[in-house]
Amino acid sequence: MTESLHIVCPHCHTTNRLRSDQLGSAPDCGSCKKPLFTGKPVDLDGAAFDKHLQRNQIPLLVDFWAPWCGPCRQMAPAYVQAAAQLEPRIRVAKVDTEAQQALGARFQIRSIPTLALFVGGREVARQAGAMGAADIVRWVQQHAPH
């Protein structure tokens, strides 16, 4: 039996309903008609973050980073590579803690980069420090439900 999932669009942040077996078939948003999965991290502000956290029925991986952070900039290409491997089973996002200080404070981000994995709206794992793409994928696979 195929279950129905809610997936939030990375472009217009509208919640879409699709069957789990449609995840891999490059589904488009019913509202803005853009792809629901781009293979790249989604930049989130406070309102968009909450929508993705509460409405997505797939795990949400978030990189908390800042533009002035050397290790963050160093990890950015690896994070993009990891996103291409993790989607569409995982929504991959970024939060600029400089621009979104309230989110950084809310999740008590003490060092950056910090990866946080959310499942069902709750944080299930956290890892501080820059990682390569293979390490990011492996870390997510260890902590995400299968």
PDB file of all heavy atoms in Angstrom, residues 12-42:
ATOM      1  N   CYS A  12       7.894  27.963  -3.160  1.00  0.00           N
ATOM      2  CA  CYS A  12       6.782  28.798  -2.673  1.00  0.00           C
ATOM      3  C   CYS A  12       6.315  28.377  -1.270  1.00  0.00           C
ATOM      4  O   CYS A  12       5.439  29.013  -0.698  1.00  0.00           O
ATOM      5  CB  CYS A  12       5.621  28.757  -3.664  1.00  0.00           C
ATOM      6  SG  CYS A  12       4.762  27.165  -3.741  1.00  0.00           S
ATOM      7  N   HIS A  13       6.868  27.288  -0.757  1.00  0.00           N
ATOM      8  CA  HIS A  13       6.579  26.774   0.595  1.00  0.00           C
ATOM      9  C   HIS A  13       5.129  26.339   0.781  1.00  0.00           C
ATOM     10  O   HIS A  13       4.622  26.312   1.887  1.00  0.00           O
ATOM     11  CB  HIS A  13       7.016  27.775   1.675  1.00  0.00           C
ATOM     12  CG  HIS A  13       8.443  28.207   1.492  1.00  0.00           C
ATOM     13  ND1 HIS A  13       9.514  27.343   1.609  1.00  0.00           N
ATOM     14  CD2 HIS A  13       8.969  29.401   1.145  1.00  0.00           C
ATOM     15  CE1 HIS A  13      10.635  28.005   1.354  1.00  0.00           C
ATOM     16  NE2 HIS A  13      10.337  29.239   1.068  1.00  0.00           N
ATOM     17  N   THR A  14       4.473  25.973  -0.328  1.00  0.00           N
ATOM     18  CA  THR A  14       3.136  25.394  -0.269  1.00  0.00           C
ATOM     19  C   THR A  14       3.271  23.909   0.063  1.00  0.00           C
ATOM     20  O   THR A  14       4.181  23.252  -0.423  1.00  0.00           O
ATOM     21  CB  THR A  14       2.425  25.548  -1.639  1.00  0.00           C
ATOM     22  OG1 THR A  14       2.263  26.932  -1.916  1.00  0.00           O
ATOM     23  CG2 THR A  14       1.065  24.869  -1.651  1.00  0.00           C
ATOM     24  N   THR A  15       2.368  23.404   0.882  1.00  0.00           N
ATOM     25  CA  THR A  15       2.388  21.984   1.209  1.00  0.00           C
ATOM     26  C   THR A  15       1.679  21.206   0.110  1.00  0.00           C
ATOM     27  O   THR A  15       0.552  21.532  -0.263  1.00  0.00           O
ATOM     28  CB  THR A  15       1.695  21.733   2.561  1.00  0.00           C
ATOM     29  OG1 THR A  15       2.351  22.515   3.556  1.00  0.00           O
ATOM     30  CG2 THR A  15       1.764  20.260   2.946  1.00  0.00           C
ATOM     31  N   ASN A  16       2.363  20.200  -0.425  1.00  0.00           N
ATOM     32  CA  ASN A  16       1.830  19.339  -1.474  1.00  0.00           C
ATOM     33  C   ASN A  16       1.593  17.951  -0.903  1.00  0.00           C
ATOM     34  O   ASN A  16       2.329  17.502  -0.025  1.00  0.00           O
ATOM     35  CB  ASN A  16       2.848  19.207  -2.615  1.00  0.00           C
ATOM     36  CG  ASN A  16       2.997  20.480  -3.412  1.00  0.00           C
ATOM     37  OD1 ASN A  16       2.416  20.614  -4.473  1.00  0.00           O
ATOM     38  ND2 ASN A  16       3.783  21.428  -2.920  1.00  0.00           N
ATOM     39  N   ARG A  17       0.584  17.266  -1.416  1.00  0.00           N
ATOM     40  CA  ARG A  17       0.344  15.887  -1.031  1.00  0.00           C
ATOM     41  C   ARG A  17       0.697  15.009  -2.233  1.00  0.00           C
ATOM     42  O   ARG A  17       0.244  15.266  -3.338  1.00  0.00           O
ATOM     43  CB  ARG A  17      -1.111  15.680  -0.660  1.00  0.00           C
ATOM     44  CG  ARG A  17      -1.409  14.235  -0.264  1.00  0.00           C
ATOM     45  CD  ARG A  17      -2.838  14.080   0.064  1.00  0.00           C
ATOM     46  NE  ARG A  17      -3.193  15.072   1.063  1.00  0.00           N
ATOM     47  CZ  ARG A  17      -4.095  14.911   2.008  1.00  0.00           C
ATOM     48  NH1 ARG A  17      -4.765  13.796   2.064  1.00  0.00           N
ATOM     49  NH2 ARG A  17      -4.363  15.850   2.864  1.00  0.00           N
ATOM     50  N   LEU A  18       1.543  14.004  -1.981  1.00  0.00           N
ATOM     51  CA  LEU A  18       1.843  13.059  -3.042  1.00  0.00           C
ATOM     52  C   LEU A  18       2.066  11.684  -2.457  1.00  0.00           C
ATOM     53  O   LEU A  18       2.327  11.531  -1.270  1.00  0.00           O
ATOM     54  CB  LEU A  18       3.033  13.510  -3.892  1.00  0.00           C
ATOM     55  CG  LEU A  18       4.380  13.707  -3.238  1.00  0.00           C
ATOM     56  CD1 LEU A  18       5.440  13.071  -4.108  1.00  0.00           C
ATOM     57  CD2 LEU A  18       4.661  15.201  -3.188  1.00  0.00           C
ATOM     58  N   ARG A  19       1.933  10.687  -3.314  1.00  0.00           N
ATOM     59  CA  ARG A  19       2.142   9.315  -2.869  1.00  0.00           C
ATOM     60  C   ARG A  19       3.638   9.074  -2.689  1.00  0.00           C
ATOM     61  O   ARG A  19       4.447   9.606  -3.438  1.00  0.00           O
ATOM     62  CB  ARG A  19       1.565   8.329  -3.887  1.00  0.00           C
ATOM     63  CG  ARG A  19       0.057   8.413  -4.021  1.00  0.00           C
ATOM     64  CD  ARG A  19      -0.509   7.291  -4.892  1.00  0.00           C
ATOM     65  NE  ARG A  19       0.353   6.852  -5.970  1.00  0.00           N
ATOM     66  CZ  ARG A  19       0.284   7.294  -7.232  1.00  0.00           C
ATOM     67  NH1 ARG A  19      -0.626   8.181  -7.565  1.00  0.00           N
ATOM     68  NH2 ARG A  19       1.104   6.835  -8.146  1.00  0.00           N
ATOM     69  N   SER A  20       3.985   8.250  -1.718  1.00  0.00           N
ATOM     70  CA  SER A  20       5.399   7.979  -1.441  1.00  0.00           C
ATOM     71  C   SER A  20       6.106   7.393  -2.658  1.00  0.00           C
ATOM     72  O   SER A  20       7.292   7.642  -2.864  1.00  0.00           O
ATOM     73  CB  SER A  20       5.554   7.072  -0.228  1.00  0.00           C
ATOM     74  OG  SER A  20       4.867   5.860  -0.433  1.00  0.00           O
ATOM     75  N   ASP A  21       5.392   6.659  -3.498  1.00  0.00           N
ATOM     76  CA  ASP A  21       6.034   6.083  -4.684  1.00  0.00           C
ATOM     77  C   ASP A  21       6.271   7.134  -5.782  1.00  0.00           C
ATOM     78  O   ASP A  21       6.903   6.843  -6.793  1.00  0.00           O
ATOM     79  CB  ASP A  21       5.257   4.880  -5.222  1.00  0.00           C
ATOM     80  CG  ASP A  21       3.854   5.229  -5.710  1.00  0.00           C
ATOM     81  OD1 ASP A  21       3.425   6.398  -5.564  1.00  0.00           O
ATOM     82  OD2 ASP A  21       3.174   4.322  -6.218  1.00  0.00           O
ATOM     83  N   GLN A  22       5.770   8.362  -5.592  1.00  0.00           N
ATOM     84  CA  GLN A  22       6.013   9.443  -6.553  1.00  0.00           C
ATOM     85  C   GLN A  22       7.265  10.250  -6.217  1.00  0.00           C
ATOM     86  O   GLN A  22       7.696  11.078  -7.005  1.00  0.00           O
ATOM     87  CB  GLN A  22       4.821  10.415  -6.583  1.00  0.00           C
ATOM     88  CG  GLN A  22       3.547   9.826  -7.135  1.00  0.00           C
ATOM     89  CD  GLN A  22       2.402  10.834  -7.018  1.00  0.00           C
ATOM     90  OE1 GLN A  22       2.046  11.260  -5.929  1.00  0.00           O
ATOM     91  NE2 GLN A  22       1.842  11.210  -8.152  1.00  0.00           N
ATOM     92  N   LEU A  23       7.850  10.027  -5.028  1.00  0.00           N
ATOM     93  CA  LEU A  23       9.000  10.819  -4.592  1.00  0.00           C
ATOM     94  C   LEU A  23      10.120  10.815  -5.622  1.00  0.00           C
ATOM     95  O   LEU A  23      10.707  11.847  -5.916  1.00  0.00           O
ATOM     96  CB  LEU A  23       9.548  10.294  -3.263  1.00  0.00           C
ATOM     97  CG  LEU A  23       8.869  10.751  -1.987  1.00  0.00           C
ATOM     98  CD1 LEU A  23       9.530  10.119  -0.775  1.00  0.00           C
ATOM     99  CD2 LEU A  23       8.856  12.255  -1.868  1.00  0.00           C
ATOM    100  N   GLY A  24      10.433   9.656  -6.161  1.00  0.00           N
ATOM    101  CA  GLY A  24      11.555   9.535  -7.093  1.00  0.00           C
ATOM    102  C   GLY A  24      11.253   9.927  -8.521  1.00  0.00           C
ATOM    103  O   GLY A  24      12.133   9.862  -9.381  1.00  0.00           O
ATOM    104  N   SER A  25      10.026  10.363  -8.807  1.00  0.00           N
ATOM    105  CA  SER A  25       9.657  10.665 -10.194  1.00  0.00           C
ATOM    106  C   SER A  25       9.633  12.163 -10.484  1.00  0.00           C
ATOM    107  O   SER A  25       8.853  12.629 -11.302  1.00  0.00           O
ATOM    108  CB  SER A  25       8.298  10.046 -10.517  1.00  0.00           C
ATOM    109  OG  SER A  25       7.299  10.605  -9.675  1.00  0.00           O
ATOM    110  N   ALA A  26      10.515  12.922  -9.816  1.00  0.00           N
ATOM    111  CA  ALA A  26      10.664  14.360 -10.033  1.00  0.00           C
ATOM    112  C   ALA A  26       9.324  15.112  -9.993  1.00  0.00           C
ATOM    113  O   ALA A  26       8.952  15.791 -10.945  1.00  0.00           O
ATOM    114  CB  ALA A  26      11.388  14.632 -11.346  1.00  0.00           C
ATOM    115  N   PRO A  27       8.579  15.011  -8.877  1.00  0.00           N
ATOM    116  CA  PRO A  27       7.280  15.690  -8.791  1.00  0.00           C
ATOM    117  C   PRO A  27       7.422  17.212  -8.757  1.00  0.00           C
ATOM    118  O   PRO A  27       8.430  17.741  -8.291  1.00  0.00           O
ATOM    119  CB  PRO A  27       6.706  15.172  -7.470  1.00  0.00           C
ATOM    120  CG  PRO A  27       7.904  14.826  -6.646  1.00  0.00           C
ATOM    121  CD  PRO A  27       8.940  14.336  -7.623  1.00  0.00           C
ATOM    122  N   ASP A  28       6.406  17.880  -9.313  1.00  0.00           N
ATOM    123  CA  ASP A  28       6.353  19.346  -9.301  1.00  0.00           C
ATOM    124  C   ASP A  28       5.339  19.820  -8.278  1.00  0.00           C
ATOM    125  O   ASP A  28       4.407  19.100  -7.930  1.00  0.00           O
ATOM    126  CB  ASP A  28       5.950  19.883 -10.680  1.00  0.00           C
ATOM    127  CG  ASP A  28       7.033  19.697 -11.719  1.00  0.00           C
ATOM    128  OD1 ASP A  28       8.224  19.636 -11.349  1.00  0.00           O
ATOM    129  OD2 ASP A  28       6.688  19.599 -12.911  1.00  0.00           O
ATOM    130  N   CYS A  29       5.503  21.065  -7.822  1.00  0.00           N
ATOM    131  CA  CYS A  29       4.569  21.690  -6.897  1.00  0.00           C
ATOM    132  C   CYS A  29       3.242  21.938  -7.607  1.00  0.00           C
ATOM    133  O   CYS A  29       3.223  22.439  -8.739  1.00  0.00           O
ATOM    134  CB  CYS A  29       5.161  23.006  -6.390  1.00  0.00           C
ATOM    135  SG  CYS A  29       4.041  23.957  -5.337  1.00  0.00           S
ATOM    136  N   GLY A  30       2.154  21.618  -6.939  1.00  0.00           N
ATOM    137  CA  GLY A  30       0.837  21.870  -7.513  1.00  0.00           C
ATOM    138  C   GLY A  30       0.523  23.348  -7.617  1.00  0.00           C
ATOM    139  O   GLY A  30      -0.303  23.764  -8.424  1.00  0.00           O
ATOM    140  N   SER A  31       1.204  24.182  -6.822  1.00  0.00           N
ATOM    141  CA  SER A  31       0.937  25.610  -6.801  1.00  0.00           C
ATOM    142  C   SER A  31       1.818  26.383  -7.789  1.00  0.00           C
ATOM    143  O   SER A  31       1.327  27.026  -8.700  1.00  0.00           O
ATOM    144  CB  SER A  31       1.131  26.141  -5.378  1.00  0.00           C
ATOM    145  OG  SER A  31       0.814  27.502  -5.304  1.00  0.00           O
ATOM    146  N   CYS A  32       3.149  26.307  -7.617  1.00  0.00           N
ATOM    147  CA  CYS A  32       4.047  27.120  -8.463  1.00  0.00           C
ATOM    148  C   CYS A  32       4.603  26.347  -9.659  1.00  0.00           C
ATOM    149  O   CYS A  32       5.271  26.936 -10.508  1.00  0.00           O
ATOM    150  CB  CYS A  32       5.182  27.723  -7.632  1.00  0.00           C
ATOM    151  SG  CYS A  32       6.448  26.535  -7.122  1.00  0.00           S
ATOM    152  N   LYS A  33       4.350  25.037  -9.739  1.00  0.00           N
ATOM    153  CA  LYS A  33       4.769  24.165 -10.842  1.00  0.00           C
ATOM    154  C   LYS A  33       6.273  23.933 -10.940  1.00  0.00           C
ATOM    155  O   LYS A  33       6.759  23.385 -11.901  1.00  0.00           O
ATOM    156  CB  LYS A  33       4.251  24.688 -12.213  1.00  0.00           C
ATOM    157  CG  LYS A  33       2.780  24.997 -12.258  1.00  0.00           C
ATOM    158  CD  LYS A  33       1.941  23.767 -11.989  1.00  0.00           C
ATOM    159  CE  LYS A  33       0.459  24.090 -12.124  1.00  0.00           C
ATOM    160  NZ  LYS A  33      -0.347  23.487 -11.093  1.00  0.00           N
ATOM    161  N   LYS A  34       7.033  24.377  -9.924  1.00  0.00           N
ATOM    162  CA  LYS A  34       8.481  24.142  -9.918  1.00  0.00           C
ATOM    163  C   LYS A  34       8.762  22.797  -9.252  1.00  0.00           C
ATOM    164  O   LYS A  34       7.922  22.272  -8.527  1.00  0.00           O
ATOM    165  CB  LYS A  34       9.200  25.275  -9.187  1.00  0.00           C
ATOM    166  CG  LYS A  34       9.125  26.595  -9.930  1.00  0.00           C
ATOM    167  CD  LYS A  34       9.880  27.677  -9.179  1.00  0.00           C
ATOM    168  CE  LYS A  34       9.777  29.006  -9.912  1.00  0.00           C
ATOM    169  NZ  LYS A  34      10.357  30.094  -9.118  1.00  0.00           N
ATOM    170  N   PRO A  35       9.956  22.232  -9.459  1.00  0.00           N
ATOM    171  CA  PRO A  35      10.272  20.920  -8.877  1.00  0.00           C
ATOM    172  C   PRO A  35      10.238  20.943  -7.345  1.00  0.00           C
ATOM    173  O   PRO A  35      10.725  21.884  -6.722  1.00  0.00           O
ATOM    174  CB  PRO A  35      11.695  20.640  -9.365  1.00  0.00           C
ATOM    175  CG  PRO A  35      11.933  21.566 -10.502  1.00  0.00           C
ATOM    176  CD  PRO A  35      11.047  22.758 -10.281  1.00  0.00           C
ATOM    177  N   LEU A  36       9.675  19.878  -6.758  1.00  0.00           N
ATOM    178  CA  LEU A  36       9.652  19.763  -5.298  1.00  0.00           C
ATOM    179  C   LEU A  36      11.028  19.391  -4.755  1.00  0.00           C
ATOM    180  O   LEU A  36      11.318  19.620  -3.589  1.00  0.00           O
ATOM    181  CB  LEU A  36       8.624  18.717  -4.859  1.00  0.00           C
ATOM    182  CG  LEU A  36       7.168  19.135  -4.959  1.00  0.00           C
ATOM    183  CD1 LEU A  36       6.242  17.992  -4.546  1.00  0.00           C
ATOM    184  CD2 LEU A  36       6.899  20.359  -4.101  1.00  0.00           C
ATOM    185  N   PHE A  37      11.876  18.822  -5.614  1.00  0.00           N
ATOM    186  CA  PHE A  37      13.234  18.471  -5.208  1.00  0.00           C
ATOM    187  C   PHE A  37      14.204  18.982  -6.261  1.00  0.00           C
ATOM    188  O   PHE A  37      14.047  18.697  -7.439  1.00  0.00           O
ATOM    189  CB  PHE A  37      13.368  16.956  -5.025  1.00  0.00           C
ATOM    190  CG  PHE A  37      12.480  16.439  -3.937  1.00  0.00           C
ATOM    191  CD1 PHE A  37      11.273  15.841  -4.233  1.00  0.00           C
ATOM    192  CD2 PHE A  37      12.847  16.587  -2.604  1.00  0.00           C
ATOM    193  CE1 PHE A  37      10.441  15.387  -3.230  1.00  0.00           C
ATOM    194  CE2 PHE A  37      12.013  16.140  -1.588  1.00  0.00           C
ATOM    195  CZ  PHE A  37      10.810  15.537  -1.898  1.00  0.00           C
ATOM    196  N   THR A  38      15.187  19.736  -5.809  1.00  0.00           N
ATOM    197  CA  THR A  38      16.149  20.346  -6.726  1.00  0.00           C
ATOM    198  C   THR A  38      17.531  19.726  -6.626  1.00  0.00           C
ATOM    199  O   THR A  38      18.406  20.045  -7.419  1.00  0.00           O
ATOM    200  CB  THR A  38      16.277  21.856  -6.427  1.00  0.00           C
ATOM    201  OG1 THR A  38      16.793  22.016  -5.098  1.00  0.00           O
ATOM    202  CG2 THR A  38      14.932  22.571  -6.556  1.00  0.00           C
ATOM    203  N   GLY A  39      17.743  18.869  -5.622  1.00  0.00           N
ATOM    204  CA  GLY A  39      19.062  18.303  -5.412  1.00  0.00           C
ATOM    205  C   GLY A  39      20.022  19.294  -4.787  1.00  0.00           C
ATOM    206  O   GLY A  39      21.224  19.059  -4.715  1.00  0.00           O
ATOM    207  N   LYS A  40      19.478  20.432  -4.317  1.00  0.00           N
ATOM    208  CA  LYS A  40      20.293  21.461  -3.676  1.00  0.00           C
ATOM    209  C   LYS A  40      19.640  21.857  -2.345  1.00  0.00           C
ATOM    210  O   LYS A  40      18.423  21.772  -2.203  1.00  0.00           O
ATOM    211  CB  LYS A  40      20.385  22.706  -4.555  1.00  0.00           C
ATOM    212  CG  LYS A  40      21.117  22.506  -5.864  1.00  0.00           C
ATOM    213  CD  LYS A  40      21.405  23.855  -6.472  1.00  0.00           C
ATOM    214  CE  LYS A  40      21.159  24.023  -7.920  1.00  0.00           C
ATOM    215  NZ  LYS A  40      20.093  23.465  -8.624  1.00  0.00           N
ATOM    216  N   PRO A  41      20.445  22.330  -1.383  1.00  0.00           N
ATOM    217  CA  PRO A  41      19.862  22.784  -0.116  1.00  0.00           C
ATOM    218  C   PRO A  41      18.933  23.985  -0.319  1.00  0.00           C
ATOM    219  O   PRO A  41      19.183  24.828  -1.177  1.00  0.00           O
ATOM    220  CB  PRO A  41      21.079  23.190   0.719  1.00  0.00           C
ATOM    221  CG  PRO A  41      22.243  22.509   0.083  1.00  0.00           C
ATOM    222  CD  PRO A  41      21.909  22.401  -1.373  1.00  0.00           C
ATOM    223  N   VAL A  42      17.883  24.042   0.484  1.00  0.00           N
ATOM    224  CA  VAL A  42      16.916  25.135   0.460  1.00  0.00           C
ATOM    225  C   VAL A  42      17.291  26.134   1.554  1.00  0.00           C
ATOM    226  O   VAL A  42      17.459  25.742   2.712  1.00  0.00           O
ATOM    227  CB  VAL A  42      15.489  24.598   0.748  1.00  0.00           C
ATOM    228  CG1 VAL A  42      14.471  25.719   0.669  1.00  0.00           C
ATOM    229  CG2 VAL A  42      15.135  23.467  -0.176  1.00  0.00           C
TER     230      VAL A  42
END
